Amino acid sequence: MNQHALRLELDKILSAAAGYAVLDGGRAAVLALEPMRDYPEAKRALALTGEALCLLFELGSGHVEYFPPLGDSLERAEKGSVLACKELTEIAMLLRAARLLYRSVRAFGNEQTEGM
């Protein structure tokens, strides 16, 4: 992290934000964030953040359901290995979370989230 980010105590802000993450991968992604130097990229990220805030807090689209990290299980499945019941249950949790989030977001039209 550069000296400007340290001076702004970005690490403390990211640590506080990571506390709200539901998924372990999301928590790690928040902690790994760095300031953006590319203006169009930063502008796009802010627009996506605004859309997410609108969906979650203004329109009440729901929340992210927890599911455990599945990297090892998915890698084994790709190789043709048989998965244990626990692994299949964890994959079912992922599919449920994806279905709920998809339905929740699809319930609102683009016109409701544009410009947020």
Side-chain angles (χ1 to χ4, degrees), residues 63 65-67 89-103:
H63 64 281
E65 295 281 324
Y66 175 79
F67 57 89
T89 302
E90 291 172 345
I91 291 170
M93 291 171 69
L94 164 67
L95 294 174
R96 179 180 185 275
R99 184 182 70 248
L100 291 173
L101 187 60
Y102 177 80
R103 285 182 183 166

Side-chain angles (χ1 to χ4, degrees), residues 1 3 8 10 41 46 87 112:
M1 200 169 285
Q3 70 182 41
L8 293 172
L10 183 61
E41 181 184 348
L46 283 172
E87 293 169 312
Q112 288 178 287

Side-chain angles (χ1 to χ4, degrees), residues 8-22:
L8 293 172
E9 297 184 343
L10 183 61
D11 56 334
K12 292 179 183 177
I13 294 168
L14 294 177
S15 180
Y20 291 99
V22 174

Side-chain angles (χ1 to χ4, degrees), residues 6-58:
L6 290 173
R7 187 174 299 141
L8 293 172
E9 297 184 343
L10 183 61
D11 56 334
K12 292 179 183 177
I13 294 168
L14 294 177
S15 180
Y20 291 99
V22 174
L23 304 174
D24 297 334
R27 190 173 298 111
V30 169
L31 292 172
L33 286 173
E34 293 279 334
M36 293 182 176
R37 298 188 188 286
D38 183 47
Y39 179 73
E41 181 184 348
K43 191 173 179 179
R44 182 177 182 281
L46 283 172
L48 290 173
T49 301
E51 187 174 337
L53 287 170
C54 175
L55 285 167
L56 287 170
F57 299 112
E58 293 178 26

